[in-house]
């Protein structure tokens, strides 16, 4: 993109979006600028201790804070949002679902899920649901939160019934929840399930 103010970098818009969250390949104008100016964008962010991560194969990019010392200190520019146990559980199960999909379905390029499929998968972990309507609302809220974080993308919403919605599970989950974190959380989940 070309700006009339010569002081503004041609990658300003995509840099600002990266500071707000991930940028995806389907955000065509931003993605095009990201790829075109990736060297300049990376150089810009390195000056403020941020690393530009681009996964062209899976079509996502985000900023990662650089560690400033051996203690893992950062400048704290990228906001870290602690997740509740339930949201951690949701993200880990979505990540595991994505891994199963990639190992099993070689024909399909993307994993799509519905709220009903999501509830069926989550049901055993939410044993203490007081009523079905509250449980459904709670899990729909978790789906919306995952969408805001960039882990899900709503691709079908033509019905008023949320059960008819369709979400794409985005592969950025693999970068945000590593195999080690997945294995650790799965062990913790197994212990939780055995104690029920």
């Amino acid at each position: 993109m070309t700006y009339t103010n010569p002081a503004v970098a041609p990658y300003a818009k995509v840099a600002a979006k990266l500071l707000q969250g991930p940028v995806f390949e389907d955000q065509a104008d931003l993605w095009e600028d990201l790829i075109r100016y990736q060297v300049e964008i990376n150089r810009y962010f390195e000056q403020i201790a941020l690393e530009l991560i681009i996964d062209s194969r899976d079509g996502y990019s985000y900023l990662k804070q650089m560690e400033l010392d051996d203690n893992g200190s950062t400048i704290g520019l990228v906001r870290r949002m602690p997740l509740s146990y339930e949201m951690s559980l949701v993200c880990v199960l979505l990540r595991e679902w994505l891994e199963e999909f990639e190992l099993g379905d070689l024909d399909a390029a993307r994993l799509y899920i519905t709220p009903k499929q999501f509830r069926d998968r989550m049901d055993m972990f939410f044993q203490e649901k007081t009523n079905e309507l509250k449980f459904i609302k709670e899990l729909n809220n978790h789906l919306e939160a995952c969408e805001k974080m960039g882990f899900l993308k709503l691709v079908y919403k033509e019905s008023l019934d949320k059960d008819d919605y369709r979400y794409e599970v985005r592969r950025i989950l693999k970068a945000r929840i590593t195999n080690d974190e997945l294995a650790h959380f799965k062990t913790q989940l197994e212990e939780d399930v055995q104690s029920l």
Side-chain angles (χ1 to χ4, degrees):
M1 174 176 279
T2 306
Y3 300 108
T4 54
N5 183 343
V8 176
Y11 52 83
K13 189 172 183 179
V14 71
K17 289 290 185 189
L18 283 162
L19 286 168
Q20 296 167 5
V23 171
F24 296 94
E25 188 175 31
D26 58 9
Q27 296 169 293
D29 291 345
L30 292 173
W31 189 259
E32 187 179 312
D33 283 349
L34 176 71
I35 299 303
R36 179 182 302 136
Y37 298 108
Q38 68 182 341
V39 172
E40 293 89 342
I41 294 169
N42 196 42
R43 194 175 305 131
Y44 168 75
F45 282 123
E46 281 178 345
Q47 295 174 60
I48 55 173
L50 295 173
E51 180 183 0
L52 175 64
I53 307 293
I54 300 174
D55 187 319
S56 297
R57 192 189 72 178
D58 288 331
Y60 64 82
S61 64
Y62 64 96
L63 295 175
K64 180 179 177 184
Q65 297 189 104
M66 293 180 184
E67 293 184 358
L68 303 175
D69 55 33
D70 293 339
N71 298 325
S73 301
T74 66
I75 61 168
L77 182 61
V78 176
R79 188 172 39 136
R80 291 184 182 183
M81 295 185 307
L83 298 177
S84 67
Y85 175 80
E86 287 183 353
M87 272 307 297
S88 297
L89 175 64
V90 166
C91 291
V92 166
L93 289 175
L94 284 172
R95 166 68 166 82
E96 185 178 40
W97 199 348
L98 182 61
E99 189 171 284
E100 289 171 14
F101 169 78
E102 289 179 338
L103 291 173
D105 194 339
L106 301 176
D107 296 330
R110 297 180 188 345
L111 170 61
Y112 297 100
I113 64 169
T114 65
K116 170 85 171 83
Q117 291 170 318
F118 176 70
R119 280 197 310 274
D120 290 346
R121 197 164 184 116
M122 296 296 293
D123 193 39
M124 70 181 284
F125 297 102
F126 288 82
Q127 297 293 333
E128 297 194 20
K129 51 186 192 268
T130 52
N131 69 49
E132 194 67 22
L133 286 176
K134 185 178 178 193
F135 173 66
I136 289 170
K137 184 177 180 188
E138 220 173 83
L139 290 184
N140 284 340
N141 288 340
H142 291 321
L143 285 173
E144 289 170 13
C146 285
E147 185 184 3
K148 286 178 185 166
M149 289 186 284
F151 298 153
L152 295 175
K153 178 184 178 188
L154 184 60
V155 293
Y156 177 80
K157 186 185 174 176
E158 293 180 17
S159 168
L160 293 176
D161 184 356
K162 286 191 176 184
D163 275 355
D164 293 333
Y165 286 13
R166 192 168 159 205
Y167 292 91
E168 175 190 342
V169 180
R170 296 197 142 183
R171 287 186 165 86
I172 193 169
L173 260 172
K174 293 190 303 184
R176 296 301 179 115
I177 300 172
T178 65
N179 285 333
D180 291 340
E181 292 168 324
L182 184 61
H184 173 74
F185 204 87
K186 280 166 75 173
T187 302
Q188 188 179 344
L189 279 179
E190 287 168 10
E191 290 170 4
D192 291 348
V193 168
Q194 287 171 3
S195 68
L196 291 177

